[in-house]
């Protein structure tokens, strides 16, 4: 490994990504390090889309918020490069994009996970087109054409919340329309939403039972033909008319960085990528086993604080202590869920009809939450 140079001042920070982890990190760095740093944001898209809200679209809820990345970049004071990170020369401290080579003193990789279709014979949810994918299915449920359906979670890493939200909202809609539909969730989790801890799991299990949604836990699926679900371990099979699946998530496998199983980026609790210097990572791209916006934001806070310390700011780069927070859309009152977590299991878990933390929005992010809330208020008052 090449010896690292002393950091320049202002410290030149490159952040790859244009979503939760990247924006939370940029806000953290601006707040903590001010003009001790410059930030280049490398992100290919035009917009930051508030992904959790997409789940409501097929049920006629408001369209998910979209925020212009060039506007956000101007507001936060970062230089936006509408490019994609291609590979990293960590020895020379250069991030290569599809269009340029960007030298850095610190690089934060926050480019998310890559969704893959696990089952040929299922609708795999794609949040870019979820309304288009599920609108017709929800109409078929409303009109009584679909009486048996399943929501499945593939093995490996997946976002925990949306499959429960889709199942509960479908059950609520069927009840409102006075039609009968049998809904089953099949999941490898030991209990529903186990990452949030046992209090949340028990309450969500009761909620699902009340909505007549069956749950088969500790289960892995194969779907050999349309509508046929084989479940293992055991010899259980389900026959349904429609199957909706979460995608399987894989890591971005960035050339020039070490890889953990599945192509995820291995990080320590301070956000530093293991085995390379001055490279940090946060969010769904990392090997932390829970893929969740609130967790992505906490990782970004930890990595941002570590980089601020490198810029000479007198902050203690505290390790990332994950608390998983989520708002479960149920079709009726939303529920606030919270649990401390060490990985796949939660402890100290709580569930409430009232907010359990201060920031607004489905993604619990200490800086991005209030920032987006202010932006939304400004847009509402100016229109
Ligand atoms: C339907 C759905 C519902 C969800 N509900 C919730 C919820 O209720 N609460 C919650 O907390 N979380 C929820 N999540 C999970 C949450 O959205 C993700 O965990 C979160 O978005 C991860 O943020 P991220 O910044 O790590 O990655 P992403 O949001 O995946 O963003 C990756 C960013 O990197 C950019 N990018 C990709 N490749 C490159 C490249 N090569 N170079 C530069 N940039 C690149 C992308 O354009 C994007 O801007 C949900 C997810 C989905 C899909």
């Amino acid at each position: 490994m090449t010896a690292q140079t002393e950091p320049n001042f202002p410290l030149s920070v490159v952040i790859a990504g244009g979503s939760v982890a990247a924006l939370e990190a940029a806000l953290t760095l601006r707040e903590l390090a001010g003009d001790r740093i410059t930030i280049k944001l490398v992100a290919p898209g035009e917009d930051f889309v508030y992904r959790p809200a997409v789940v409501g679209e097929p049920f006629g809820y408001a369209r998910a918020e979209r925020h212009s990345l060039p506007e956000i970049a101007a507001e936060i004071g970062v230089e936006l490069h509408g490019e994609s990170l291609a590979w990293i020369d960590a020895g020379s401290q250069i991030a290569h994009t599809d269009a340029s080579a960007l030298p850095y003193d610190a690089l934060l990789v926050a480019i998310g996970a890559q969704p893959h279709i696990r089952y040929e014979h299922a609708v795999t949810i794609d949040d870019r087109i979820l309304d288009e994918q599920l609108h017709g299915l929800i109409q078929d449920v409303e009109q009584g054409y679909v009486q048996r359906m399943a929501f499945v979670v593939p093995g490996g890493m997946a976002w925990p919340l949306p499959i429960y939200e889709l199942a509960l909202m479908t059950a609520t809609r069927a009840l409102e329309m006075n039609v009968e539909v049998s809904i089953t969730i099949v999941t490898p989790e030991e209990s529903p939403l186990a990452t949030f801890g046992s209090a949340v799991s028990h309450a969500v299990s009761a909620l699902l039972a009340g909505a007549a949604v069956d749950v088969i836990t500790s289960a892995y699926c194969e779907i050999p033909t349309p509508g046929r679900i084989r479940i293992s371990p055991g010899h259980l099979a389900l026959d349904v008319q429609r199957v909706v699946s979460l995608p399987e998530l894989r890591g971005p496998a960035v050339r020039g960085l070490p890889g953990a199983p599945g192509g995820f980026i291995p990080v320590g609790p301070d956000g530093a990528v293991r085995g390379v210097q001055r490279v940090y990572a946060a969010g769904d791209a990392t090997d932390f086993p829970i893929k969740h916006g609130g967790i992505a934001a906490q990782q970004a806070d930890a990595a941002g604080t570590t980089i601020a310390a490198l810029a000479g700011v007198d902050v203690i780069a505290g390790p990332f202590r994950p608390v998983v927070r989520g708002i479960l859309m149920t079709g009726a009152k939303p529920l606030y869920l919270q649990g401390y977590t060490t990985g796949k299991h939660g402890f100290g878990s709580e569930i409430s009809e009232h907010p359990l933390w201060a920031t607004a929005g489905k993604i619990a992010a200490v800086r991005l939450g209030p920032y987006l809330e202010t932006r939304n208020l400004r847009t509402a008052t100016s229109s």
Side-chain angles (χ1 to χ4, degrees):
M1 187 182 298
T2 318
Q4 301 295 304
T5 51
E6 280 300 306
N8 300 308
F9 292 101
L11 194 84
S12 168
V13 181
V14 172
I15 299 179
S19 183
V20 180
L23 297 178
E24 176 77 12
L27 288 163
T28 302
L29 278 162
R30 266 288 158 260
E31 182 183 313
L32 298 182
D35 55 12
R36 284 172 178 261
I37 50 152
T38 61
I39 306 176
K40 292 186 174 74
L41 189 72
V42 177
E46 274 296 303
D47 290 327
F48 161 57
V49 182
Y50 204 79
R51 305 174 79 184
V54 169
V55 175
E57 290 181 358
F59 299 88
Y61 286 55
R63 193 164 176 252
E65 293 164 32
R66 279 152 173 84
H67 297 266
S68 150
L69 274 180
E71 282 178 22
I72 292 181
E75 284 167 12
I76 306 180
V78 310
E79 188 181 302
L80 182 63
H81 291 246
E83 300 161 20
S84 291
L85 178 71
W87 65 282
I88 295 160
D89 180 347
S92 306
Q93 293 184 198
I94 296 177
H96 292 268
T97 75
D98 49 2
S100 58
L102 303 172
Y104 61 80
D105 294 312
L107 168 68
L108 176 74
V109 182
I111 62 175
Q114 295 175 352
H116 286 263
I117 293 176
R118 169 69 177 80
Y119 302 111
E120 185 191 346
H121 301 299
V123 175
T124 302
I125 69 168
D126 177 343
D127 55 302
R128 293 166 303 178
I129 51 162
L130 195 66
D131 189 21
E132 202 181 299
Q133 284 187 308
L134 296 188
H135 193 79
L137 170 58
I138 304 306
Q139 278 183 338
D140 284 352
V141 169
E142 288 171 347
Q143 290 165 13
Y145 298 129
V146 172
Q147 289 103 27
R148 293 182 316 282
M149 61 183 299
F151 291 90
V152 305
V153 182
M157 304 198 189
W159 302 293
L161 275 186
I163 215 79
Y164 291 94
E165 299 185 304
L166 290 171
L168 281 166
M169 287 197 282
T170 306
T172 305
R173 181 59 56 86
L175 193 69
E176 286 164 358
M177 301 303 286
N178 211 13
V179 291
E180 278 194 23
V181 57
S182 141
I183 300 176
T184 307
I185 298 174
V186 186
T187 174
E189 297 161 290
E190 281 172 25
S191 57
L193 293 175
T195 49
F196 287 85
S198 58
V200 168
S201 259
H202 286 139
V204 172
S205 300
L207 185 70
L208 291 162
V213 174
D214 290 330
V215 189
I216 303 175
T217 54
S218 303
Y220 294 85
C221 294
E222 287 305 330
I223 308 177
T225 52
R228 179 86 174 159
I229 305 177
R230 280 213 202 104
I231 297 168
S232 62
H235 302 287
L236 195 60
L238 276 181
D239 287 302
V240 294
Q241 290 160 287
R242 305 286 181 88
V243 187
V244 176
S245 172
L246 281 180
E248 193 174 71
L249 297 184
R250 295 188 198 149
V254 181
R255 199 173 120 210
L257 289 186
F264 293 98
I265 304 171
V267 284
D270 59 354
V273 175
R274 295 185 201 280
V276 278
Q277 290 185 37
R278 306 271 182 83
V279 184
Y280 307 83
D284 285 2
T286 70
D287 65 346
F288 190 73
I290 301 171
K291 304 298 169 203
H292 191 64
I295 294 286
Q298 289 163 50
Q299 289 183 295
D301 294 331
T305 309
T306 307
I307 298 170
L310 185 68
V313 180
D314 189 14
V315 280
I316 296 172
F320 153 66
R321 293 192 200 288
V323 187
V324 57
R325 297 188 168 112
I327 302 177
L328 181 73
M329 290 160 79
T330 63
K333 267 195 141 185
L335 293 171
Y336 293 78
L337 322 175
Q338 171 170 283
Y340 296 83
T341 180
T342 48
K344 289 198 169 176
H345 295 276
F347 59 94
S349 84
E350 277 181 84
I351 181 163
S352 171
E353 288 186 358
H354 306 288
L356 293 168
W357 56 91
T359 56
K362 281 199 91 211
I363 297 177
V366 289
R367 292 180 180 88
L368 186 60
Y371 169 76
L372 294 177
E373 204 178 8
T374 309
R375 258 195 132 246
N376 287 338
L377 275 174
R378 216 170 41 224
T379 314
T381 45
S382 67
S383 58

